[in-house]
């Protein structure tokens, strides 16, 4: 059973960089052909896919967030991370990490989510 766990600060100040890490257990992030995404849900709004890092290390980002988003990985720790720069209160959301197959793009496993608030 694959499990994902998000971690990181729950409060970030405006203009700073939001950094979150997803720790994966029960499966390797380098296993073909899976992809590991970051998804967020602002209060009262729907889910927004932010970006993905695939099993081979390739990355893809939402066009609307591409200029501020970076996803990386540490294969030795079986973790992947999100950095979102120049945050504003509009970036306040529950942030999730999730796994999908590269062929189906359907999310099979999710972390429980972590709330990040952008505020002074």
């Amino acid at each position: 059973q694959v499990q994902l766990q998000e971690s990181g600060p729950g409060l970030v100040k405006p203009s700073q960089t939001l950094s979150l890490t997803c720790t994966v257990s029960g499966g390797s992030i380098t296993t073909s052909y899976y992809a590991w995404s970051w998804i967020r849900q602002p209060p009262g709004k729907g889910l927004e896919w932010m970006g993905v890092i695939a099993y081979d290390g390739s990355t893809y980002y939402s066009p609307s967030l591409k200029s501020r988003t970076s996803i990386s990985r540490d294969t030795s720790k079986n973790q992947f991370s999100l950095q979102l720069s120049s945050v504003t209160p509009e970036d306040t959301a529950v942030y999730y990490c999730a796994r999908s197959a590269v062929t189906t793009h359907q999310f099979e496993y999710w972390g429980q989510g972590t709330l990040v608030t952008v505020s002074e």
Side-chain angles (χ1 to χ4, degrees), residues 51-116:
V52 63
I53 186 164
Y55 66 96
D56 60 357
S58 56
T59 54
Y60 305 90
Y61 301 105
S62 167
S64 64
L65 295 170
K66 185 176 182 179
S67 64
R68 300 196 290 131
T69 306
S70 178
I71 297 175
S72 59
R73 67 180 185 175
D74 185 336
T75 57
S76 68
K77 295 181 180 179
N78 213 35
Q79 296 175 332
F80 63 105
S81 298
L82 169 74
Q83 289 197 318
L84 181 67
S85 63
S86 305
V87 297
T88 72
E90 286 66 43
D91 293 309
T92 294
V94 176
Y95 286 76
Y96 299 93
C97 54
R99 190 191 86 168
S100 62
V102 296
T103 53
T104 66
H105 304 289
Q106 294 181 358
F107 298 109
E108 307 163 313
Y109 296 100
W110 293 72
Q112 85 283 2
T114 186
L115 174 64
V116 179

Side-chain angles (χ1 to χ4, degrees), residues 1-89:
Q1 179 78 359
V2 175
Q3 294 183 318
L4 298 90
Q5 176 71 55
E6 304 90 350
S7 61
L11 179 64
V12 181
K13 292 185 177 181
S15 79
Q16 292 187 342
T17 296
L18 180 160
S19 297
L20 295 174
T21 295
C22 183
T23 300
V24 179
S25 59
S28 172
I29 61 173
T30 62
T31 298
S32 305
Y33 296 95
Y34 292 111
W36 307 86
S37 288
W38 286 99
I39 301 155
R40 68 180 182 179
Q41 185 169 30
K45 298 184 179 180
L47 293 169
E48 177 182 25
W49 177 80
M50 302 180 69
V52 63
I53 186 164
Y55 66 96
D56 60 357
S58 56
T59 54
Y60 305 90
Y61 301 105
S62 167
S64 64
L65 295 170
K66 185 176 182 179
S67 64
R68 300 196 290 131
T69 306
S70 178
I71 297 175
S72 59
R73 67 180 185 175
D74 185 336
T75 57
S76 68
K77 295 181 180 179
N78 213 35
Q79 296 175 332
F80 63 105
S81 298
L82 169 74
Q83 289 197 318
L84 181 67
S85 63
S86 305
V87 297
T88 72

